[in-house]
Amino acid sequence: MARRRQIYEGKAKILYEGPEPGTLIQYFKDDATAFNAQKKGTISGKGVLNNRISEHIFTLLGLIGVPTHFIRRLNMREQLIRQVEIIPIEVVVRNVAAGSISTRLGIEEGTQLPRTIIEYYYKDDALGDPMITDEHIAAFGWAGQEEMHDIADLAIRVNDFLCGLFAGIGIRLIDFKLEFGRVWDNDYPRIILADEISPDGCRLWDMQTNEKLDKDRFRRDLGGEVEAYQEVARRLGLLPEGADGAVLDLEKHRLSKGK
Ligand code: TMP
């Protein structure tokens, strides 16, 4: 295969130049980091699972009219996406207290929040992604006022949809992180959903047992990361019943054949 030009390497994904102008290839790695990459590891097969899970969710979001960067999945670890100007903001949506809000405000993990809370963090690893407000975003011009309206609206729509989707498979959506990008349609800027939605950037708890089915298993050294991600994929109907390892085995087979 021809060498592709790498555009960007993040902690869990690599972006390559796409086959046509305005497209990119998003490659999902098995690398996992936490606490701004102070903790590093690999979750074997995570990239394959996140590629499938994110494809599934972005496809469904597209069907309900949420504009996204997703075009199509190309193979086990790659998807074709629209190139965007990434808005340098991590948008966190919280339904239930956990993680940093629990620590910061002293709210017990698992407490239902009185309303859904949206938080913004400035995407800058060197600064440790500090929390920011609309004021900072406006003052420093990271996104326009209309763009921030669109981002907040889309975040709430995604949250409503995902809460229902996960509730249907016995999972409570505690919180999650989204990223958005700007595309230009006839010189007119438009906000679309970018990045990924997977157990890497969501807190997903089993509704019956409160078992964590997400990256907190890695962050908190709970073990069973792959099994948790597989369980999410299985409940979403992305792994055949009783054949949890099938997707990963298929990739091993493909790799051993050198394809
Ligand atoms: P937090 O409680 O650590 O602030 O995380 C809130 C949610 O955002 C949680 O589902 C994990 C996700 N998240 C990321 O995807 N990337 C990050 O860098 C951070 C800090 C959180």
Side-chain angles (χ1 to χ4, degrees):
M1 195 171 50
R3 257 335 267 144
R4 289 173 308 195
R5 196 159 71 91
Q6 184 176 309
I7 305 285
Y8 173 82
E9 176 155 12
K11 286 176 284 206
K13 298 188 291 296
I14 305 174
L15 296 177
Y16 296 101
E17 198 169 57
E20 293 152 37
T23 66
L24 295 176
I25 292 167
Q26 180 166 254
Y27 176 96
F28 288 76
K29 301 192 279 187
D30 285 346
D31 297 352
T33 61
F35 317 117
N36 200 22
Q38 288 177 60
K39 179 178 165 79
K40 287 191 180 127
T42 47
I43 302 175
S44 181
K46 170 173 83 79
V48 176
L49 290 160
N50 282 357
N51 187 22
R52 279 296 276 126
I53 293 169
S54 200
E55 169 198 20
H56 182 70
I57 292 175
F58 274 62
T59 302
L60 293 175
L61 287 171
L63 290 173
I64 63 155
V66 172
T68 84
H69 73 163
F70 179 79
I71 301 174
R72 67 173 180 278
R73 187 166 63 85
L74 297 170
N75 55 49
M76 305 294 274
R77 285 184 184 270
E78 294 176 330
Q79 45 184 249
L80 184 67
I81 58 169
R82 256 187 99 168
Q83 186 162 27
V84 302
E85 294 172 17
I86 204 80
I87 306 288
I89 300 170
E90 300 200 345
V91 178
V92 169
V93 181
R94 300 184 188 270
N95 299 303
V96 176
S100 68
I101 196 173
S102 289
T103 313
R104 196 181 321 112
L105 302 182
I107 307 171
E108 194 185 342
E109 287 208 318
T111 309
Q112 183 77 42
L113 294 167
R115 46 163 282 178
T116 297
I117 294 174
I118 304 185
E119 295 172 346
Y120 303 112
Y121 295 85
Y122 182 47
K123 242 176 99 66
D124 187 318
D125 285 341
L127 298 176
D129 297 345
M131 193 196 251
I132 50 172
T133 70
D134 289 291
E135 289 283 308
H136 302 96
I137 297 167
F140 299 115
W142 293 321
Q145 211 133 94
E146 256 187 69
E147 289 180 326
M148 286 314 293
H149 271 129
D150 290 348
I151 286 173
D153 272 5
L154 288 168
I156 292 299
R157 281 174 71 194
V158 171
N159 183 51
D160 287 346
F161 177 77
L162 289 184
C163 280
L165 177 74
F166 284 118
I169 54 172
I171 290 174
R172 197 143 70 115
L173 178 61
I174 305 299
D175 59 32
F176 60 97
K177 187 258 296 182
L178 297 175
E179 291 186 31
F180 293 88
R182 183 186 296 115
V183 291
W184 292 88
D185 286 340
N186 302 318
D187 292 337
Y188 186 79
R190 203 160 63 84
I191 290 292
I192 69 176
L193 184 64
D195 193 45
E196 70 180 299
I197 298 179
S198 73
D200 266 12
C202 300
R203 284 198 175 91
L204 306 168
W205 294 5
D206 180 88
M207 276 185 167
Q208 303 298 327
T209 65
N210 282 336
E211 191 189 358
K212 298 184 200 313
L213 301 172
D214 57 63
K215 205 168 102 180
D216 269 351
R217 301 208 73 85
F218 170 78
R219 293 189 192 98
R220 302 179 185 197
D221 295 318
L222 300 173
E225 294 91 337
V226 183
E227 291 76 8
Y229 282 54
Q230 278 178 353
E231 179 62 13
V232 174
R234 190 188 64 77
R235 291 196 199 181
L236 286 169
L238 306 175
L239 291 181
E241 288 291 332
D244 285 1
V247 169
L248 304 178
D249 290 345
L250 192 65
E251 189 195 43
K252 276 190 211 130
H253 176 75
R254 204 171 51 89
L255 290 174
S256 71
K257 300 260 166 179
K259 281 184 222 156

